[in-house]
Amino acid sequence: YDYEGWELEFFDNAKNFRKYQFSFILDHIKGKTAEIGPGTGNNLNYYHHKTGSLYLFEPSKILFDQLKDKNLQYSNTQFFNRDFSSYGGKFDTIMYLDVLEHIKDDKKEFLNSYAKLNYGGSLIINVPAFNFLFSEFDRNVGHYKRYVKKDFIKFISEISPSYYKLVYYDSIGFILLLMSKIFVFSNNSKIGNRIDFWNKLIPLSKIIDRISFFSFGKSLLFVIKK
């Protein structure tokens, strides 16, 4: 599996968004932690200090080589060029940050990961929201779908979590994606400029998210405790 992740460097530079994203999830990260599909590992800067030991599962050989080269300075970190589904250990925290949408059998992946949580542990999933926003860009980067809350409500109907949280966020991202659908902005050569523009508007997104009670957004965050 040699997914190149050509779009990752653009999103890795979107620091305003990443800080906003991690403001929702940092309190849920603890202990023995696994991140699935970490790409080149840019997220480690935001959460490594919250972990006891960290396991990174990156199935793409191209991305795995970059991941390992860039992040050898982090202590208590192990790197795996393999699928998470075949690993037998248990964890206090498991994270899929914009990864589940790349997995065709997402329900099977979800249930498998939940089974690998220690009691009291957290499964943290961030996905793109609202399938009517699905675009050529989604298709080009290997997304199977975008999500709404009811997708995850169906997932947890087979288990009994002690706690779960579902929240839409990044309203500005939603508005910009909707505009790009209406006006058909599909030129990937300018994707860096558009991501930079969106990232600068994240402070405005925070305000609108709160005013709208997190009722819509570009992203959907799901946190579940076992």
Side-chain angles (χ1 to χ4, degrees):
Y1 177 63
D2 281 331
Y3 172 59
E4 294 183 20
W6 60 268
E7 79 285 5
L8 293 180
E9 69 171 291
F10 299 117
F11 286 102
D12 284 349
N13 290 326
K15 296 189 182 341
N16 289 339
F17 174 73
R18 287 298 179 208
K19 289 176 183 176
Y20 187 34
Q21 182 182 59
F22 275 93
S23 72
F24 291 101
I25 63 179
L26 267 182
D27 287 345
H28 299 286
I29 300 173
K30 66 176 183 179
K32 185 181 176 184
T33 298
E35 184 181 358
I36 319 307
T40 60
N42 190 66
N43 291 335
L44 273 68
N45 297 324
Y46 299 96
Y47 76 83
H48 186 272
H49 64 285
K50 298 281 289 185
T51 68
S53 55
L54 180 59
Y55 295 67
L56 301 173
F57 294 84
E58 178 49 65
S60 165
K61 184 67 167 64
I62 292 172
L63 294 179
F64 176 78
D65 289 341
Q66 298 178 59
L67 170 70
K68 197 167 184 181
D69 288 344
K70 282 177 60 179
N71 297 284
L72 287 175
Q73 78 274 19
Y74 288 106
S75 61
N76 301 320
T77 300
Q78 297 187 48
F79 304 86
F80 299 88
N81 184 208
R82 61 188 287 187
D83 288 329
F84 183 58
S85 59
S86 63
Y87 187 81
K90 291 211 167 189
F91 297 87
D92 302 305
T93 309
I94 299 172
M95 295 191 292
Y96 291 80
L97 302 180
D98 300 299
V99 169
L100 196 67
E101 65 272 16
H102 291 271
I103 300 172
K104 191 169 186 178
D105 196 344
D106 52 357
K107 182 179 180 181
K108 181 179 179 182
E109 185 78 16
F110 168 82
L111 292 174
N112 177 66
S113 294
Y114 183 78
K116 292 178 181 178
L117 278 181
N118 290 321
Y119 287 102
S122 296
L123 176 58
I124 301 168
I125 298 174
N126 193 92
V127 290
F130 298 107
N131 216 40
F132 65 81
L133 293 177
F134 194 91
S135 66
E136 191 64 26
F137 175 79
D138 286 290
R139 195 171 287 108
N140 288 341
V141 297
H143 293 177
Y144 285 100
K145 63 185 286 189
R146 301 176 71 94
Y147 291 78
V148 292
K149 289 181 178 181
K150 70 178 182 180
D151 293 318
F152 291 107
I153 296 295
K154 288 179 182 177
F155 283 2
I156 63 174
S157 65
E158 298 184 18
I159 58 177
S160 300
S162 63
Y163 163 92
Y164 77 89
K165 171 183 180 180
L166 277 165
V167 60
Y168 295 115
Y169 70 101
D170 187 15
S171 47
I172 285 293
F174 175 95
I175 293 167
L176 292 176
L177 281 179
L178 185 60
M179 288 175 63
S180 72
K181 286 284 285 186
I182 294 171
F183 297 107
V184 197
F185 300 142
S186 60
N187 188 350
N188 285 335
S189 66
K190 296 184 178 179
I191 188 70
N193 292 336
R194 295 207 297 273
I195 290 175
D196 184 57
F197 176 69
W198 154 70
N199 183 59
K200 289 176 179 176
L201 295 177
I202 290 298
L204 181 57
S205 226
K206 293 180 182 180
I207 296 170
I208 298 175
D209 287 351
R210 282 159 178 76
I211 292 173
S212 64
F213 299 101
F214 299 92
S215 57
F216 69 101
K218 177 184 72 66
S219 294
L220 174 59
L221 177 70
F222 179 47
V223 179
I224 182 170
K225 286 191 183 296
K226 189 169 186 178

